[in-house]
Amino acid sequence: MKIYVMEQSGVEHTLEGVEGWRLMSVIRDSGLPIKAECGGACSCATCHVYVADEWLWRLFPASSEEIDQLDGAFEVQGNSRLSCQIILNEEMDGLRVTLAPGTEA
Amino acid sequence: MSNQTHTTDAIIIGAGPVGLFAVFELGLLDIKAHLVDILDRPGGQCTELYPEKPIYDIPALPVISGQQLTEQLMTQIKPFNPVFHFGQMASSLEKTTSGWRVTTDAGTVIEAKIVVIASGGGSFTPKKPPIKSIGDYEEKSVFYAVRKKEAFKDKHLVIAGGGDSALDWAISLHPIARSLTLLHRRDEFRAAPHSVAQMRQLVEAGKIKLVIGNLTDLRGADGQIEAVILSTAEVACNTLLAFYGLTMKPGPVAGFGIDMKNGLIPVNTENFETNISGIFAVGDINWYPGKLKLILSGFHEAALMAQKAFRYVHPERKWRFEYTTSSTSLQEKLGVRD
């Protein structure tokens, strides 16, 4: 499965997604600059991404914990998610996200 | 600034779980320790990032929270009376004739035979909004902490954030500020319910202005802000206090003159010593082939580190390997012997 991740600069990367993995782990392990400092515990908001509109409704909705945690992120929008809370499955082949400001490693 | 010099056996930089357990392993070998940490309490990431989150891979503890793990470690090391220097950053390291001297940014000076770097992912510092010009205003009209309330007297103050720090300071500073605007991205607050209720009352009474929006830019000149700019509006002000939580930044360790590789300190896995004799590195800050950033790895590293530390601190004494289960001398140190 392919995941498309755009940096703030506009450069897009095609990553190989793994079913069952956190989107954050796929981005981090690819070497892209994502801080993801708590390692996936929904505790730091430094893996903030913007999800492409056409994908937003196809994801499992954010938990109240994730929404609270987004208070520690910057420039939060309606399509903001924490990538550690998006667990990949085959239906997400082609998922498109942009790394948000303030998450640079 | 306190200029008192403390003298001890070991200086541990970082009071996270691995720094705390290092106190235990050193203590069993009669090595006293002082710890320095930028946070105001022990536990490091465990208490700062995930105090309530369960940890499942501490041996023999099927589940424990970051807060509980820290409390248990504090209980475990109590017999060794470690001295903590909280709210301070170890800013310099120098060689002395008999060992090492660490000076903190608060002016505390500690001298010891050995130094243990257990600084994990770095120093916790406030998250800064990703606004290019923000550095021009910091410590002049943009702040991330309140050191003296008086500094905010008669200011047109904007407080950004929705957690306890933002609400507590909004409630505390509104009587002395000329005006106070609370800025948050949504009309919901994760702060303590009683603070939220109090804030709502103050907004109702017109004492605090509540603005919902995202901080996107600043307007001002020569270090003095004139307004904070939101996606949809701007708020005139002359002071901004931003509370978006903490993040880890590489600390001053990189300037200590120790060999580093990609921000980590390579160590000898026999004793977790760095390239400099008498300086050790344990936990997430070190690197060696096969390294895993796990708390349990850090515990193991601390145990091996202490054996080598003993040779520096007590060179005249013969090293003996003992078990706490059977050694009367270890049990006396732990205060568990009748």
Side-chain angles (χ1 to χ4, degrees):
Chain A
M1 65 189 296
K2 300 287 182 228
I3 305 288
Y4 301 98
V5 179
M6 202 190 296
E7 295 187 66
Q8 280 288 303
S9 62
V11 178
E12 193 174 73
H13 303 265
T14 306
L15 309 183
E16 193 58 45
V18 182
E19 191 170 3
W21 278 37
R22 295 168 190 276
L23 173 59
M24 177 276 286
S25 306
V26 171
I27 299 172
R28 185 193 56 196
D29 292 0
S30 75
L32 284 174
I34 188 164
K35 195 157 192 180
E37 121 183 312
C38 78
C42 195
S43 296
C44 72
T46 58
C47 67
H48 174 203
V49 296
Y50 301 123
V51 175
D53 289 341
E54 68 271 24
W55 280 96
L56 200 53
W57 63 274
R58 294 159 76 172
L59 301 179
F60 203 80
S63 65
S64 61
E65 187 185 22
E66 181 183 342
I67 293 167
D68 277 356
Q69 204 48 243
L70 278 166
D71 284 355
F74 297 101
E75 300 187 27
V76 178
Q77 304 173 1
N79 59 347
S80 286
R81 292 293 305 260
L82 295 182
S83 58
C84 73
Q85 299 303 299
I86 299 174
I87 313 292
L88 298 175
N89 64 46
E90 285 300 333
E91 286 165 22
M92 294 181 195
D93 188 16
L95 176 63
R96 206 170 279 275
V97 302
T98 303
L99 301 180
T103 59
E104 301 84 358
Chain B
M1 288 276 176
S2 81
N3 290 314
Q4 190 198 346
T5 299
H6 302 270
T7 305
T8 185
D9 297 327
I11 301 162
I12 302 173
I13 299 174
V18 176
L20 295 178
F21 193 65
V23 171
F24 184 85
E25 290 294 335
L26 292 167
L28 289 179
L29 295 167
D30 294 325
I31 301 170
K32 292 185 176 51
H34 280 226
L35 298 95
V36 178
D37 199 292
I38 197 163
L39 296 175
D40 59 4
R41 57 197 165 160
Q45 284 188 56
C46 283
T47 42
E48 188 53 47
L49 280 184
Y50 46 85
E52 309 299 332
K53 298 279 179 181
I55 308 170
Y56 299 103
D57 61 353
I58 305 297
L61 299 172
V63 58
I64 189 165
S65 71
Q67 183 65 42
Q68 287 169 327
L69 179 74
T70 303
E71 286 165 10
Q72 296 280 50
L73 284 164
M74 289 296 281
T75 303
Q76 194 168 21
I77 67 176
K78 200 161 181 286
F80 303 112
N81 298 310
V83 178
F84 291 94
H85 303 274
F86 286 125
Q88 302 181 33
M89 186 162 72
S91 48
S92 75
L93 172 70
E94 300 155 85
K95 185 99 186 77
T96 64
T97 48
S98 59
W100 299 93
R101 179 187 300 119
V102 166
T103 307
T104 75
D105 61 350
T108 303
V109 179
I110 314 166
E111 292 186 349
K113 300 260 175 49
I114 63 144
V115 174
V116 180
I117 300 172
S119 56
S123 303
F124 275 102
T125 53
K127 278 187 191 163
K128 299 176 175 188
I131 296 170
K132 276 205 179 77
S133 64
I134 201 156
D136 303 342
Y137 301 105
E138 286 170 352
E139 298 304 314
K140 293 175 188 146
S141 58
V142 172
F143 303 89
Y144 304 108
V146 177
R147 284 195 200 87
K148 280 192 186 145
K149 280 175 68 171
E150 279 304 293
F152 299 91
K153 193 171 185 290
D154 295 329
K155 299 292 187 192
H156 291 285
L157 176 63
V158 169
I159 295 183
D164 283 310
S165 301
L167 267 67
D168 289 353
W169 283 119
I171 291 162
S172 163
L173 291 174
H174 87 85
I176 64 167
R178 175 80 35 97
S179 71
L180 195 150
T181 303
L182 180 63
L183 168 64
H184 186 41
R185 70 174 187 92
R186 57 181 180 141
D187 197 9
E188 274 177 71
F189 294 83
R190 66 191 190 289
H194 70 270
S195 309
V196 178
Q198 205 179 342
M199 178 274 293
R200 297 273 187 206
Q201 279 175 5
L202 290 166
V203 170
E204 191 81 6
K207 311 267 181 159
I208 291 178
K209 193 175 166 208
L210 175 61
V211 172
I212 304 303
N214 272 308
L215 177 61
T216 57
D217 208 351
L218 299 171
R219 185 161 57 71
D222 301 326
Q224 179 55 57
I225 58 165
E226 287 153 19
V228 297
I229 300 176
L230 319 180
S231 20
T232 48
E234 63 175 65
V235 179
C237 63
N238 56 25
T239 309
L240 169 66
L241 256 172
F243 295 111
Y244 289 93
L246 300 179
T247 189
M248 286 180 285
K249 288 268 161 68
V253 165
F256 286 179
I258 304 163
D259 276 354
M260 295 191 79
K261 185 179 173 183
N262 301 325
L264 301 171
I265 304 175
V267 287
N268 172 353
T269 51
E270 198 180 326
N271 48 38
F272 297 90
E273 200 164 22
T274 67
N275 69 309
I276 300 177
S277 298
I279 300 186
F280 300 84
V282 291
D284 286 359
I285 186 67
N286 76 13
W287 181 86
Y288 51 87
K291 168 72 181 183
L292 287 179
K293 289 187 180 183
L294 291 176
I295 293 170
L296 73 91
S297 307
F299 289 169
H300 159 80
E301 295 162 15
L304 269 61
M305 172 279 293
Q307 314 311 311
K308 181 74 188 277
F310 178 82
R311 290 159 167 86
Y312 290 110
V313 177
H314 300 300
E316 74 292 354
R317 286 169 53 179
K318 186 171 162 39
W319 175 83
R320 273 197 304 163
F321 177 68
E322 295 181 289
Y323 292 105
T324 54
T325 313
S326 53
S327 159
T328 52
S329 71
L330 292 186
Q331 289 168 1
E332 275 163 17
K333 290 171 199 174
L334 290 166
V336 293
R337 187 121 193 118
D338 300 328

